[in-house]
Amino acid sequence: MPEIKKYKMFIDGEWVDSESRKTFQSLNPENNEPWAEVPEADEKDVDRAVNAAQIAFEGAWSKLFPRERAKYLKAIADQLRENAELLGKIETIDTGKLFKETKTQANYIAEYYDYYAGLADKVEGTVLPIDKPNMQVITTRVPIGVVAAIIPWNSQMLLTAVKLAPALAMGNTVVIKSSELAPATLFEFAKLIEKVGVPRGVVNIVSGFGEPCGRALTSHKLVERVAFTGGPETARHIIRNSADNLSQVSLELGGKSPVTVFEDADQENALNGITAGIFGASGQSCIAGSRLYIQNSIYDSFLEKIVTRANKIKLGPPMDSETQMGPLSSLKQLEIIEKNIKLTIDQGGKLRCGGKRHAMSNKGYYFPPTVIECDNHNLPTAENELFGPVLSVMKFNDENEVINKMNDNQYGLSSGVYTKNINRGLRVSNAIRAGITFVNTYRLISPSAPFGGMKDSGYGKEAGIESIKDYTRIKTTWFNTSDKPMDDPFTMG
Ligand code: NAD
């Protein structure tokens, strides 16, 4: 049995165990074996981290010049680039995500820190055209305070960057809770935070479960802002928790993103986009394009091409550069997928490929690319977020019909349209109630492109210029420019 790697939490600039000394293990999805052990935080540890963050906030951090804070963000970016290989490796062992993707992502995520470093000194206030004599009124953007960042197990470096970078740039301090399913990468990241000399308490990273750690953090009285990414059920807890501290909440939740292929689409391009959308990262992406609508006239032939492509995808160990799909992150995930596939087949869904655990599943959680034809999109695989490589395929006749079908789901995160007719691309994009639409492409991110959903996919946007303002509050200051005393103090001016 290989040696278990032991991590400590990063609180107030120190590496600490939980006060209770409790720990838990993280499993490697490739072989279902424990490989790392991390502290299990409870209320006391959370309290310590939040207090450290509050002291750091009131101390120097919020008072630094924005460009001084930006220097730290740039230094974090440099460290990410230098350590992308190590971070990628740890994330791959912890989550099963392909090393070629985790390494590339760790490197690219540096751009997010650079982006927000550049924005740090560009958030301006206003002078108001006020309707009162002798008054000069200004607004300024001030930091909020302690931010709680709740991170899921997937794409954690990215989902940390889009919260941490704007929060720090604007002068807030942060307590990050890693996912219990994959806690290790963020502790490797904490080593980089320490290395660049971010003042103690400004960034704190704790590990634990939703209960009590996540609850204690999101309801802590000193937390003013909660940035959450995860599933909708957890989001409901977060909102209830925020009733205790009246914190400002943003929610990046799941999706059941629809993709449509019109008869005039460039089919080779659509095939690549669909493959990226549902089989990239083994379908474990919040923007996975998991509902596919194909126009009637090309339905049979195009579906055949998808099935042929899916059957060629190479499953294997996630560190192997030849592998195209690695294991799923957890057994629970695999079981949810199997259950939904069974229910769908029971209700008339036609399995075209995949659908059963892969032979490698005896050790790890491997699941093959799966394509299911569904007569209607209310069948379980076509309706529920599965977080796996399962594509549900439906037919449509015309544009209006497909728009209605695409919108007929509780989620509204992402969507895709394949057509050579740019007018139609625009019309469909405008009509889809989703935070993101990809036209003739899929699964792209950028620091300058806002990311987030509508409907049950949550609210608040991450990345892009606007999101930095979500880490500030507007403060209004009135200056009396008159040398005379105030008028009647008993009437409001
Ligand atoms: P999850 O909701 O189970 O867990 C997310 C985080 O919330 C974890 O750190 C967990 O410990 C914490 N948590 C659980 N209960 C809590 C509570 N009561 N109070 C506070 N925190 C609590 O999600 P997951 O399984 O880790 O991730 C998968 C989900 O995340 C999917 O639904 C996926 O679509 C979504 N996701 C969304 C985006 C996006 O940007 N929209 C990105 C990635 C993942």
Side-chain angles (χ1 to χ4, degrees), residues 150-151 153-154 177 180 214 229-231 234 253-254 286 385 387 451:
I150 310 287
I151 310 295
W153 66 267
N154 76 312
K177 185 194 117 32
E180 60 273 36
T229 303
T234 315
L253 311 180
C286 52
E385 183 185 40
F387 233 59
F451 186 98

